[in-house]
Amino acid sequence: MADRSLVMIRRELPADIDAIRAVTAAAFRTAPHSAPPVEPNGDPGEATLVSWLRDDDSWVPQLSLVAVEDDVVAGHVVATRAYVDAEPALGVGPLSVLPNHQRSGIGTALMHAVLGAADALDEPLVGLLGDPAYYRRFGFVPARPLGVSAPDPAWGDAFQVRRLTSYAGATGTFRFAAPFDRLSAEAVS
Ligand SMILES: CC(C)(COP(=O)(O)OP(=O)(O)OC[C@H]1O[C@@H](n2cnc3c(N)ncnc32)[C@H](O)[C@@H]1OP(=O)(O)O)[C@@H](O)C(=O)NCCC(=O)NCCS
């Protein structure tokens, strides 16, 4: 059997913060879609977004997870407080894997881990904006047929939700944590 290195998923620790920024920046620098930087020639906006989320009331410390491979932070995912009208929900993202660690299952493992942790915390619903071809495998479905409107109607089926055990059918408009709006407002175009 080929050698396989150990990948461990755990909550972020204070010592991981710089590495998480680097992983997020590297992943989105090579991604087909990324947010413009907040500062001219700076990191992709997603790297700044993670820092803003960490300083925001929406931060859920149990739901910022790193994937560590051979003592290197190779991936990160975060879910933060969101709402469907007045009902609590979670927004997932950014999800990032270092380019030279991609396609080995780390993104999949991180997504399963954050969904399992959210379910264990009795969270009812997780929303995200992403490619349905990728997120379908985790049980995400287009939100609109469930009565959940995207923050921006132009997102169409790319705005998806994953129902968890406590889901009770909340309907209304999905609102991500405030730093997501700040990113749209402050990005350098
Ligand atoms: C998306 C990402 C997190 C996946 O991480 P990963 O560790 O490479 O994922 P896995 O190895 O678990 O799964 C890879 C599989 O997902 C597929 N995949 C990845 N992104 C996809 C997308 N946007 N649409 C369809 N499939 C996708 C790959 O084709 C691959 O499938 P294959 O193995 O059958 O070829 C990683 O590519 C990344 O960091 N991308 C840049 C940042 C980004 O776009 N994040 C997501 C939006 S928030």
Side-chain angles (χ1 to χ4, degrees), residues 27-28 30-33 93-98 101-109 129-131 133-135 137:
F28 280 91
T30 56
H33 306 286
L95 165 66
S96 311
V97 175
L98 281 178
H101 287 70
Q102 290 177 8
R103 300 213 145 182
S104 66
I106 292 176
T108 301
L129 172 64
D131 184 348
Y134 183 57
Y135 291 105
R137 67 192 74 181

Side-chain angles (χ1 to χ4, degrees), residues 66-158:
V66 289
V68 181
E69 182 165 14
D70 298 331
D71 293 327
V72 171
V73 175
H76 173 252
V77 67
V78 64
T80 48
R81 174 62 55 223
Y83 290 91
V84 176
D85 281 0
E87 297 294 324
L90 291 169
V92 178
L95 165 66
S96 311
V97 175
L98 281 178
N100 61 354
H101 287 70
Q102 290 177 8
R103 300 213 145 182
S104 66
I106 292 176
T108 301
L110 281 166
M111 183 55 78
H112 284 303
V114 80
L115 290 173
D119 201 22
L121 290 172
D122 272 336
E123 293 288 340
L125 188 81
V126 179
L128 62 72
L129 172 64
D131 184 348
Y134 183 57
Y135 291 105
R136 181 185 302 133
R137 67 192 74 181
F138 305 107
F140 283 90
V141 294
R144 184 68 262 185
L146 297 176
V148 179
S149 305
D152 179 344
W155 293 355
D157 283 355

Side-chain angles (χ1 to χ4, degrees), residues 12-23 50-51 54 66 73:
E12 81 162 51
L13 298 172
D16 300 321
I17 289 175
D18 289 348
I20 290 170
R21 186 174 180 105
V23 166
V50 174
S51 304
R54 195 178 284 109
V66 289
V73 175

Side-chain angles (χ1 to χ4, degrees), residues 34-46 48 52 181-189:
S34 63
V38 172
E39 286 144 21
N41 305 315
D43 289 334
E46 286 83 359
T48 308
W52 286 345
D181 295 332
R182 182 176 168 196
L183 184 62
S184 313
E186 293 192 23
V188 180
S189 47

